[in-house]
Amino acid sequence: LYQAHKPKLIFICTPNNPTGEALLRDDLLAFLDGIAPETLVIIDGAYMEYAAAKDKTYEVTAKDLIERYPNVLYTGTFSKAYGLGGMRVGYGVGRADVISVLHKLRPPFNITTLSLAAAIEALKDQAFVDACIEENFEEMVRYEAFAKEMGLETIPSCTNFITLMLKNHNSKEVSQKLLEQGVIIRDISSYGLNAVRITIGKKEQNSVVLEKLRTILGN
């Protein structure tokens, strides 16, 4: 397929959004080994911190990838595991020649000074990141148990969200009913799935979501 189309640009999202699964490290590297150096491959690792914590067989790092593949650009964010969603800070890591091209496109003031300062400070507090990730997966177990109780399937998640596959209810209607009650989740029917994507919140928040879901799905 690659040889037939020879794309100039390939995007790979691992872990994937909005479904939550991740590629095994060995499978990703095997794929990259077969890509010609003139094709730029962008690895979206926005949720990689979660995947690495859950299972090291999913973990890839920017340093590892860039050292092995000059045609790879790794992108990450401070909006997920680092807890800076409102600051809108992302980053890209690549070889100098790739970054130099991106600099030509980058606006001179593409991020605020405050956001940069917050990102720098966030890098100094790995204990906070580790604690948040641990709590995330502890709370995810509650959603998995809920799905089992309700006879629903889930997509195994390596992220800070979980996808519930619905059966007797329409995902659009479920999402709308929750919205009317002040809870925002994501309907992913546009992906051909009768499913909803739910971000794992704090314990109290999850209790509210699960209670409301149980009422909606029980009818």
Side-chain angles (χ1 to χ4, degrees):
L1 184 62
Y2 171 75
Q3 293 299 330
H5 295 278
K6 295 184 178 179
K8 294 182 179 180
L9 180 63
I10 297 174
F11 281 90
I12 299 177
C13 186
T14 181
N16 187 52
N17 183 15
T19 52
E21 73 271 44
L23 293 172
L24 292 172
R25 167 189 161 85
D26 290 346
D27 289 344
L28 177 58
L29 297 184
F31 174 81
L32 293 174
D33 286 338
I35 301 301
E38 59 267 21
T39 297
L40 178 64
V41 182
I42 298 178
I43 306 296
D44 181 349
Y47 299 91
M48 183 53 67
E49 290 85 359
Y50 295 98
K54 185 172 185 177
D55 189 334
K56 290 296 183 182
T57 61
Y58 296 119
E59 183 180 22
V60 291
T61 66
K63 181 177 184 296
D64 184 25
L65 291 173
I66 303 310
E67 287 181 346
R68 296 179 60 153
Y69 306 101
N71 59 324
V72 165
L73 174 69
Y74 180 94
T75 64
T77 180
F78 287 88
S79 294
K80 310 304 178 187
Y82 288 91
L84 298 182
M87 308 302 287
R88 313 306 296 170
V89 190
Y91 62 89
V93 182
R95 294 285 182 96
D97 56 337
V98 175
I99 298 300
S100 65
V101 174
L102 292 177
H103 271 304
K104 297 176 182 179
L105 306 173
R106 182 179 66 85
F109 306 107
N110 63 314
I111 191 171
T112 69
T113 302
L114 180 58
S115 294
L116 283 174
I120 292 171
E121 290 304 310
L123 287 172
K124 300 176 183 179
D125 194 357
Q126 186 60 40
F128 170 80
V129 176
D130 294 341
C132 288
I133 292 175
E134 181 179 0
E135 182 180 0
N136 172 77
F137 286 118
E138 288 176 353
E139 287 297 300
M140 187 179 291
V141 171
R142 298 178 63 192
Y143 284 91
E144 292 170 339
F146 171 81
K148 185 176 181 180
E149 172 192 338
M150 303 299 291
L152 304 176
E153 293 183 5
T154 63
I155 297 178
S157 176
C158 296
T159 66
N160 66 338
F161 60 83
I162 188 168
T163 299
L164 300 183
M165 310 293 291
L166 304 182
K167 290 184 177 180
N168 301 320
H169 296 77
N170 181 276
S171 61
K172 289 183 179 180
E173 295 177 357
V174 170
S175 299
Q176 182 60 35
K177 288 179 180 179
L178 282 175
L179 179 60
E180 293 170 357
Q181 298 181 58
V183 176
I184 301 174
I185 63 173
R186 182 176 177 184
D187 163 39
I188 57 174
S189 58
S190 60
Y191 287 80
L193 300 172
N194 182 33
V196 293
R197 171 196 184 280
I198 304 174
T199 299
I200 308 297
K202 296 181 179 180
K203 184 176 182 179
E204 297 79 10
Q205 295 171 322
N206 296 324
S207 294
V208 171
V209 175
L210 289 170
E211 180 183 353
K212 293 182 181 300
L213 264 180
R214 180 173 282 106
T215 299
I216 292 172
L217 298 180
N219 295 328

PDB file of all heavy atoms in Angstrom, residues 45-51 53 76-85 91 122 125-134 136-137 158-160:
ATOM      1  N   GLY A  45       1.902  11.864  20.017  1.00  0.00           N
ATOM      2  CA  GLY A  45       2.021  11.167  21.300  1.00  0.00           C
ATOM      3  C   GLY A  45       1.377  11.920  22.449  1.00  0.00           C
ATOM      4  O   GLY A  45       1.907  11.908  23.573  1.00  0.00           O
ATOM      5  N   ALA A  46       0.247  12.565  22.178  1.00  0.00           N
ATOM      6  CA  ALA A  46      -0.410  13.393  23.198  1.00  0.00           C
ATOM      7  C   ALA A  46      -0.728  12.613  24.472  1.00  0.00           C
ATOM      8  O   ALA A  46      -0.721  13.177  25.571  1.00  0.00           O
ATOM      9  CB  ALA A  46      -1.688  14.004  22.627  1.00  0.00           C
ATOM     10  N   TYR A  47      -1.000  11.323  24.339  1.00  0.00           N
ATOM     11  CA  TYR A  47      -1.382  10.507  25.493  1.00  0.00           C
ATOM     12  C   TYR A  47      -0.308   9.473  25.861  1.00  0.00           C
ATOM     13  O   TYR A  47      -0.570   8.533  26.599  1.00  0.00           O
ATOM     14  CB  TYR A  47      -2.690   9.776  25.208  1.00  0.00           C
ATOM     15  CG  TYR A  47      -3.860  10.690  24.943  1.00  0.00           C
ATOM     16  CD1 TYR A  47      -4.168  11.095  23.644  1.00  0.00           C
ATOM     17  CD2 TYR A  47      -4.659  11.172  25.982  1.00  0.00           C
ATOM     18  CE1 TYR A  47      -5.230  11.949  23.391  1.00  0.00           C
ATOM     19  CE2 TYR A  47      -5.726  12.027  25.733  1.00  0.00           C
ATOM     20  CZ  TYR A  47      -6.004  12.409  24.434  1.00  0.00           C
ATOM     21  OH  TYR A  47      -7.057  13.267  24.180  1.00  0.00           O
ATOM     22  N   MET A  48       0.902   9.649  25.339  1.00  0.00           N
ATOM     23  CA  MET A  48       1.942   8.644  25.528  1.00  0.00           C
ATOM     24  C   MET A  48       2.310   8.438  26.992  1.00  0.00           C
ATOM     25  O   MET A  48       2.653   7.322  27.410  1.00  0.00           O
ATOM     26  CB  MET A  48       3.190   9.014  24.721  1.00  0.00           C
ATOM     27  CG  MET A  48       4.314   7.979  24.791  1.00  0.00           C
ATOM     28  SD  MET A  48       3.792   6.281  24.371  1.00  0.00           S
ATOM     29  CE  MET A  48       3.413   6.477  22.621  1.00  0.00           C
ATOM     30  N   GLU A  49       2.245   9.487  27.809  1.00  0.00           N
ATOM     31  CA  GLU A  49       2.582   9.329  29.227  1.00  0.00           C
ATOM     32  C   GLU A  49       1.685   8.294  29.905  1.00  0.00           C
ATOM     33  O   GLU A  49       2.145   7.529  30.762  1.00  0.00           O
ATOM     34  CB  GLU A  49       2.465  10.672  29.962  1.00  0.00           C
ATOM     35  CG  GLU A  49       3.529  11.688  29.602  1.00  0.00           C
ATOM     36  CD  GLU A  49       3.190  12.502  28.356  1.00  0.00           C
ATOM     37  OE1 GLU A  49       2.110  12.249  27.766  1.00  0.00           O
ATOM     38  OE2 GLU A  49       3.989  13.378  27.984  1.00  0.00           O
ATOM     39  N   TYR A  50       0.427   8.254  29.510  1.00  0.00           N
ATOM     40  CA  TYR A  50      -0.504   7.272  30.077  1.00  0.00           C
ATOM     41  C   TYR A  50      -0.167   5.857  29.599  1.00  0.00           C
ATOM     42  O   TYR A  50      -0.155   4.913  30.393  1.00  0.00           O
ATOM     43  CB  TYR A  50      -1.940   7.616  29.687  1.00  0.00           C
ATOM     44  CG  TYR A  50      -2.439   8.915  30.257  1.00  0.00           C
ATOM     45  CD1 TYR A  50      -2.421  10.080  29.493  1.00  0.00           C
ATOM     46  CD2 TYR A  50      -2.921   8.991  31.562  1.00  0.00           C
ATOM     47  CE1 TYR A  50      -2.872  11.285  30.016  1.00  0.00           C
ATOM     48  CE2 TYR A  50      -3.375  10.198  32.094  1.00  0.00           C
ATOM     49  CZ  TYR A  50      -3.348  11.336  31.307  1.00  0.00           C
ATOM     50  OH  TYR A  50      -3.785  12.523  31.827  1.00  0.00           O
ATOM     51  N   ALA A  51       0.098   5.728  28.307  1.00  0.00           N
ATOM     52  CA  ALA A  51       0.408   4.412  27.746  1.00  0.00           C
ATOM     53  C   ALA A  51       1.679   3.846  28.355  1.00  0.00           C
ATOM     54  O   ALA A  51       1.748   2.656  28.693  1.00  0.00           O
ATOM     55  CB  ALA A  51       0.549   4.516  26.225  1.00  0.00           C
ATOM     56  N   ALA A  53       2.922   4.458  31.254  1.00  0.00           N
ATOM     57  CA  ALA A  53       2.690   4.081  32.650  1.00  0.00           C
ATOM     58  C   ALA A  53       1.896   2.783  32.755  1.00  0.00           C
ATOM     59  O   ALA A  53       2.109   1.982  33.660  1.00  0.00           O
ATOM     60  CB  ALA A  53       1.964   5.202  33.381  1.00  0.00           C
ATOM     61  N   GLY A  76       3.917  16.269  21.189  1.00  0.00           N
ATOM     62  CA  GLY A  76       3.347  15.995  22.503  1.00  0.00           C
ATOM     63  C   GLY A  76       2.622  17.218  23.016  1.00  0.00           C
ATOM     64  O   GLY A  76       2.543  18.246  22.351  1.00  0.00           O
ATOM     65  N   THR A  77       2.106  17.113  24.224  1.00  0.00           N
ATOM     66  CA  THR A  77       1.331  18.218  24.775  1.00  0.00           C
ATOM     67  C   THR A  77       1.431  18.252  26.293  1.00  0.00           C
ATOM     68  O   THR A  77       1.709  17.229  26.936  1.00  0.00           O
ATOM     69  CB  THR A  77      -0.155  18.087  24.369  1.00  0.00           C
ATOM     70  OG1 THR A  77      -0.884  19.182  24.911  1.00  0.00           O
ATOM     71  CG2 THR A  77      -0.753  16.792  24.886  1.00  0.00           C
ATOM     72  N   PHE A  78       1.185  19.436  26.845  1.00  0.00           N
ATOM     73  CA  PHE A  78       1.089  19.596  28.290  1.00  0.00           C
ATOM     74  C   PHE A  78      -0.373  19.627  28.734  1.00  0.00           C
ATOM     75  O   PHE A  78      -0.662  19.845  29.908  1.00  0.00           O
ATOM     76  CB  PHE A  78       1.788  20.889  28.719  1.00  0.00           C
ATOM     77  CG  PHE A  78       3.286  20.821  28.654  1.00  0.00           C
ATOM     78  CD1 PHE A  78       3.961  21.130  27.487  1.00  0.00           C
ATOM     79  CD2 PHE A  78       4.027  20.426  29.754  1.00  0.00           C
ATOM     80  CE1 PHE A  78       5.340  21.062  27.408  1.00  0.00           C
ATOM     81  CE2 PHE A  78       5.411  20.350  29.702  1.00  0.00           C
ATOM     82  CZ  PHE A  78       6.071  20.668  28.522  1.00  0.00           C
ATOM     83  N   SER A  79      -1.283  19.398  27.797  1.00  0.00           N
ATOM     84  CA  SER A  79      -2.710  19.508  28.091  1.00  0.00           C
ATOM     85  C   SER A  79      -3.302  18.264  28.746  1.00  0.00           C
ATOM     86  O   SER A  79      -4.425  18.322  29.239  1.00  0.00           O
ATOM     87  CB  SER A  79      -3.485  19.798  26.798  1.00  0.00           C
ATOM     88  OG  SER A  79      -3.150  21.059  26.290  1.00  0.00           O
ATOM     89  N   LYS A  80      -2.574  17.153  28.741  1.00  0.00           N
ATOM     90  CA  LYS A  80      -3.129  15.898  29.256  1.00  0.00           C
ATOM     91  C   LYS A  80      -2.511  15.549  30.605  1.00  0.00           C
ATOM     92  O   LYS A  80      -2.961  16.025  31.632  1.00  0.00           O
ATOM     93  CB  LYS A  80      -2.904  14.779  28.228  1.00  0.00           C
ATOM     94  CG  LYS A  80      -3.338  15.133  26.805  1.00  0.00           C
ATOM     95  CD  LYS A  80      -4.776  15.571  26.709  1.00  0.00           C
ATOM     96  CE  LYS A  80      -5.139  15.970  25.273  1.00  0.00           C
ATOM     97  NZ  LYS A  80      -6.486  16.549  25.180  1.00  0.00           N
ATOM     98  N   ALA A  81      -1.474  14.731  30.602  1.00  0.00           N
ATOM     99  CA  ALA A  81      -0.908  14.251  31.862  1.00  0.00           C
ATOM    100  C   ALA A  81      -0.346  15.379  32.725  1.00  0.00           C
ATOM    101  O   ALA A  81      -0.340  15.293  33.951  1.00  0.00           O
ATOM    102  CB  ALA A  81       0.187  13.220  31.584  1.00  0.00           C
ATOM    103  N   TYR A  82       0.117  16.464  32.096  1.00  0.00           N
ATOM    104  CA  TYR A  82       0.703  17.568  32.854  1.00  0.00           C
ATOM    105  C   TYR A  82      -0.338  18.541  33.398  1.00  0.00           C
ATOM    106  O   TYR A  82      -0.015  19.466  34.139  1.00  0.00           O
ATOM    107  CB  TYR A  82       1.730  18.316  32.000  1.00  0.00           C
ATOM    108  CG  TYR A  82       3.004  17.538  31.771  1.00  0.00           C
ATOM    109  CD1 TYR A  82       3.155  16.711  30.670  1.00  0.00           C
ATOM    110  CD2 TYR A  82       4.047  17.608  32.691  1.00  0.00           C
ATOM    111  CE1 TYR A  82       4.317  15.981  30.470  1.00  0.00           C
ATOM    112  CE2 TYR A  82       5.219  16.885  32.507  1.00  0.00           C
ATOM    113  CZ  TYR A  82       5.346  16.069  31.398  1.00  0.00           C
ATOM    114  OH  TYR A  82       6.498  15.352  31.209  1.00  0.00           O
ATOM    115  N   GLY A  83      -1.591  18.370  32.978  1.00  0.00           N
ATOM    116  CA  GLY A  83      -2.677  19.136  33.574  1.00  0.00           C
ATOM    117  C   GLY A  83      -2.776  20.590  33.166  1.00  0.00           C
ATOM    118  O   GLY A  83      -3.358  21.391  33.889  1.00  0.00           O
ATOM    119  N   LEU A  84      -2.240  20.965  32.011  1.00  0.00           N
ATOM    120  CA  LEU A  84      -2.262  22.363  31.587  1.00  0.00           C
ATOM    121  C   LEU A  84      -3.178  22.581  30.380  1.00  0.00           C
ATOM    122  O   LEU A  84      -2.871  23.374  29.492  1.00  0.00           O
ATOM    123  CB  LEU A  84      -0.839  22.842  31.250  1.00  0.00           C
ATOM    124  CG  LEU A  84       0.181  22.814  32.384  1.00  0.00           C
ATOM    125  CD1 LEU A  84       1.514  23.369  31.908  1.00  0.00           C
ATOM    126  CD2 LEU A  84      -0.315  23.589  33.592  1.00  0.00           C
ATOM    127  N   GLY A  85      -4.318  21.918  30.369  1.00  0.00           N
ATOM    128  CA  GLY A  85      -5.220  22.012  29.233  1.00  0.00           C
ATOM    129  C   GLY A  85      -5.598  23.432  28.869  1.00  0.00           C
ATOM    130  O   GLY A  85      -5.681  23.791  27.697  1.00  0.00           O
ATOM    131  N   TYR A  91       4.224  20.698  21.847  1.00  0.00           N
ATOM    132  CA  TYR A  91       5.622  20.758  21.417  1.00  0.00           C
ATOM    133  C   TYR A  91       5.873  19.732  20.317  1.00  0.00           C
ATOM    134  O   TYR A  91       5.107  18.773  20.129  1.00  0.00           O
ATOM    135  CB  TYR A  91       6.573  20.508  22.592  1.00  0.00           C
ATOM    136  CG  TYR A  91       6.431  19.142  23.229  1.00  0.00           C
ATOM    137  CD1 TYR A  91       7.162  18.048  22.775  1.00  0.00           C
ATOM    138  CD2 TYR A  91       5.561  18.946  24.300  1.00  0.00           C
ATOM    139  CE1 TYR A  91       7.030  16.798  23.352  1.00  0.00           C
ATOM    140  CE2 TYR A  91       5.423  17.704  24.891  1.00  0.00           C
ATOM    141  CZ  TYR A  91       6.156  16.631  24.410  1.00  0.00           C
ATOM    142  OH  TYR A  91       6.015  15.394  24.987  1.00  0.00           O
ATOM    143  N   ALA A 122       5.905  22.766  35.057  1.00  0.00           N
ATOM    144  CA  ALA A 122       5.283  21.436  35.041  1.00  0.00           C
ATOM    145  C   ALA A 122       6.328  20.341  34.857  1.00  0.00           C
ATOM    146  O   ALA A 122       6.203  19.237  35.419  1.00  0.00           O
ATOM    147  CB  ALA A 122       4.238  21.359  33.930  1.00  0.00           C
ATOM    148  N   ASP A 125       7.868  18.862  38.076  1.00  0.00           N
ATOM    149  CA  ASP A 125       7.032  18.168  39.071  1.00  0.00           C
ATOM    150  C   ASP A 125       6.539  16.832  38.519  1.00  0.00           C
ATOM    151  O   ASP A 125       5.354  16.639  38.273  1.00  0.00           O
ATOM    152  CB  ASP A 125       5.854  19.057  39.462  1.00  0.00           C
ATOM    153  CG  ASP A 125       5.147  18.565  40.722  1.00  0.00           C
ATOM    154  OD1 ASP A 125       5.552  17.508  41.251  1.00  0.00           O
ATOM    155  OD2 ASP A 125       4.202  19.238  41.175  1.00  0.00           O
ATOM    156  N   GLN A 126       7.445  15.904  38.334  1.00  0.00           N
ATOM    157  CA  GLN A 126       7.089  14.592  37.805  1.00  0.00           C
ATOM    158  C   GLN A 126       6.216  13.820  38.780  1.00  0.00           C
ATOM    159  O   GLN A 126       5.395  12.988  38.374  1.00  0.00           O
ATOM    160  CB  GLN A 126       8.349  13.791  37.486  1.00  0.00           C
ATOM    161  CG  GLN A 126       8.095  12.458  36.788  1.00  0.00           C
ATOM    162  CD  GLN A 126       7.377  12.613  35.456  1.00  0.00           C
ATOM    163  OE1 GLN A 126       7.671  13.525  34.689  1.00  0.00           O
ATOM    164  NE2 GLN A 126       6.434  11.715  35.164  1.00  0.00           N
ATOM    165  N   ALA A 127       6.367  14.104  40.068  1.00  0.00           N
ATOM    166  CA  ALA A 127       5.560  13.406  41.085  1.00  0.00           C
ATOM    167  C   ALA A 127       4.077  13.694  40.866  1.00  0.00           C
ATOM    168  O   ALA A 127       3.233  12.807  41.034  1.00  0.00           O
ATOM    169  CB  ALA A 127       5.984  13.827  42.483  1.00  0.00           C
ATOM    170  N   PHE A 128       3.742  14.928  40.486  1.00  0.00           N
ATOM    171  CA  PHE A 128       2.353  15.296  40.218  1.00  0.00           C
ATOM    172  C   PHE A 128       1.823  14.514  39.024  1.00  0.00           C
ATOM    173  O   PHE A 128       0.698  13.988  39.052  1.00  0.00           O
ATOM    174  CB  PHE A 128       2.256  16.798  39.945  1.00  0.00           C
ATOM    175  CG  PHE A 128       0.912  17.230  39.418  1.00  0.00           C
ATOM    176  CD1 PHE A 128      -0.167  17.409  40.279  1.00  0.00           C
ATOM    177  CD2 PHE A 128       0.728  17.453  38.062  1.00  0.00           C
ATOM    178  CE1 PHE A 128      -1.413  17.804  39.785  1.00  0.00           C
ATOM    179  CE2 PHE A 128      -0.511  17.848  37.563  1.00  0.00           C
ATOM    180  CZ  PHE A 128      -1.585  18.020  38.427  1.00  0.00           C
ATOM    181  N   VAL A 129       2.620  14.421  37.975  1.00  0.00           N
ATOM    182  CA  VAL A 129       2.218  13.684  36.773  1.00  0.00           C
ATOM    183  C   VAL A 129       1.977  12.223  37.111  1.00  0.00           C
ATOM    184  O   VAL A 129       0.962  11.639  36.721  1.00  0.00           O
ATOM    185  CB  VAL A 129       3.292  13.812  35.670  1.00  0.00           C
ATOM    186  CG1 VAL A 129       2.930  12.960  34.456  1.00  0.00           C
ATOM    187  CG2 VAL A 129       3.458  15.267  35.255  1.00  0.00           C
ATOM    188  N   ASP A 130       2.909  11.631  37.844  1.00  0.00           N
ATOM    189  CA  ASP A 130       2.783  10.216  38.215  1.00  0.00           C
ATOM    190  C   ASP A 130       1.521   9.972  39.043  1.00  0.00           C
ATOM    191  O   ASP A 130       0.806   8.980  38.828  1.00  0.00           O
ATOM    192  CB  ASP A 130       4.011   9.761  39.003  1.00  0.00           C
ATOM    193  CG  ASP A 130       5.282   9.763  38.158  1.00  0.00           C
ATOM    194  OD1 ASP A 130       5.170   9.756  36.921  1.00  0.00           O
ATOM    195  OD2 ASP A 130       6.378   9.794  38.754  1.00  0.00           O
ATOM    196  N   ALA A 131       1.240  10.872  39.968  1.00  0.00           N
ATOM    197  CA  ALA A 131       0.065  10.720  40.833  1.00  0.00           C
ATOM    198  C   ALA A 131      -1.223  10.839  40.025  1.00  0.00           C
ATOM    199  O   ALA A 131      -2.182  10.086  40.248  1.00  0.00           O
ATOM    200  CB  ALA A 131       0.097  11.763  41.945  1.00  0.00           C
ATOM    201  N   CYS A 132      -1.251  11.773  39.099  1.00  0.00           N
ATOM    202  CA  CYS A 132      -2.445  11.961  38.268  1.00  0.00           C
ATOM    203  C   CYS A 132      -2.707  10.750  37.379  1.00  0.00           C
ATOM    204  O   CYS A 132      -3.857  10.329  37.208  1.00  0.00           O
ATOM    205  CB  CYS A 132      -2.294  13.212  37.412  1.00  0.00           C
ATOM    206  SG  CYS A 132      -2.403  14.752  38.334  1.00  0.00           S
ATOM    207  N   ILE A 133      -1.643  10.204  36.817  1.00  0.00           N
ATOM    208  CA  ILE A 133      -1.793   9.036  35.948  1.00  0.00           C
ATOM    209  C   ILE A 133      -2.269   7.830  36.754  1.00  0.00           C
ATOM    210  O   ILE A 133      -3.141   7.072  36.317  1.00  0.00           O
ATOM    211  CB  ILE A 133      -0.466   8.723  35.228  1.00  0.00           C
ATOM    212  CG1 ILE A 133      -0.137   9.831  34.226  1.00  0.00           C
ATOM    213  CG2 ILE A 133      -0.530   7.367  34.533  1.00  0.00           C
ATOM    214  CD1 ILE A 133       1.197   9.680  33.548  1.00  0.00           C
ATOM    215  N   GLU A 134      -1.715   7.660  37.949  1.00  0.00           N
ATOM    216  CA  GLU A 134      -2.133   6.548  38.810  1.00  0.00           C
ATOM    217  C   GLU A 134      -3.607   6.662  39.171  1.00  0.00           C
ATOM    218  O   GLU A 134      -4.360   5.689  39.097  1.00  0.00           O
ATOM    219  CB  GLU A 134      -1.284   6.525  40.077  1.00  0.00           C
ATOM    220  CG  GLU A 134      -1.635   5.379  41.019  1.00  0.00           C
ATOM    221  CD  GLU A 134      -0.756   5.353  42.260  1.00  0.00           C
ATOM    222  OE1 GLU A 134       0.125   6.231  42.391  1.00  0.00           O
ATOM    223  OE2 GLU A 134      -0.956   4.469  43.115  1.00  0.00           O
ATOM    224  N   ASN A 136      -5.854   8.252  37.519  1.00  0.00           N
ATOM    225  CA  ASN A 136      -6.617   8.083  36.286  1.00  0.00           C
ATOM    226  C   ASN A 136      -6.972   6.619  36.050  1.00  0.00           C
ATOM    227  O   ASN A 136      -8.131   6.279  35.778  1.00  0.00           O
ATOM    228  CB  ASN A 136      -5.800   8.619  35.103  1.00  0.00           C
ATOM    229  CG  ASN A 136      -6.426   8.318  33.760  1.00  0.00           C
ATOM    230  OD1 ASN A 136      -7.377   8.950  33.339  1.00  0.00           O
ATOM    231  ND2 ASN A 136      -5.872   7.326  33.066  1.00  0.00           N
ATOM    232  N   PHE A 137      -5.996   5.751  36.161  1.00  0.00           N
ATOM    233  CA  PHE A 137      -6.259   4.339  35.886  1.00  0.00           C
ATOM    234  C   PHE A 137      -7.038   3.670  37.019  1.00  0.00           C
ATOM    235  O   PHE A 137      -7.779   2.707  36.783  1.00  0.00           O
ATOM    236  CB  PHE A 137      -4.951   3.610  35.594  1.00  0.00           C
ATOM    237  CG  PHE A 137      -4.387   3.922  34.235  1.00  0.00           C
ATOM    238  CD1 PHE A 137      -3.148   4.523  34.096  1.00  0.00           C
ATOM    239  CD2 PHE A 137      -5.112   3.631  33.090  1.00  0.00           C
ATOM    240  CE1 PHE A 137      -2.642   4.826  32.848  1.00  0.00           C
ATOM    241  CE2 PHE A 137      -4.611   3.925  31.831  1.00  0.00           C
ATOM    242  CZ  PHE A 137      -3.372   4.536  31.709  1.00  0.00           C
ATOM    243  N   CYS A 158      -5.442   3.264  26.798  1.00  0.00           N
ATOM    244  CA  CYS A 158      -4.123   3.647  27.306  1.00  0.00           C
ATOM    245  C   CYS A 158      -4.052   5.163  27.452  1.00  0.00           C
ATOM    246  O   CYS A 158      -2.995   5.776  27.275  1.00  0.00           O
ATOM    247  CB  CYS A 158      -3.033   3.177  26.351  1.00  0.00           C
ATOM    248  SG  CYS A 158      -2.900   1.397  26.178  1.00  0.00           S
ATOM    249  N   THR A 159      -5.179   5.776  27.783  1.00  0.00           N
ATOM    250  CA  THR A 159      -5.265   7.235  27.821  1.00  0.00           C
ATOM    251  C   THR A 159      -5.963   7.691  29.100  1.00  0.00           C
ATOM    252  O   THR A 159      -6.106   6.923  30.045  1.00  0.00           O
ATOM    253  CB  THR A 159      -6.065   7.744  26.605  1.00  0.00           C
ATOM    254  OG1 THR A 159      -7.428   7.287  26.722  1.00  0.00           O
ATOM    255  CG2 THR A 159      -5.488   7.214  25.301  1.00  0.00           C
ATOM    256  N   ASN A 160      -6.435   8.945  29.084  1.00  0.00           N
ATOM    257  CA  ASN A 160      -7.207   9.474  30.213  1.00  0.00           C
ATOM    258  C   ASN A 160      -8.696   9.508  29.888  1.00  0.00           C
ATOM    259  O   ASN A 160      -9.446  10.301  30.461  1.00  0.00           O
ATOM    260  CB  ASN A 160      -6.722  10.876  30.596  1.00  0.00           C
ATOM    261  CG  ASN A 160      -7.005  11.889  29.493  1.00  0.00           C
ATOM    262  OD1 ASN A 160      -7.179  11.548  28.332  1.00  0.00           O
ATOM    263  ND2 ASN A 160      -7.029  13.167  29.867  1.00  0.00           N
TER     264      ASN A 160
END
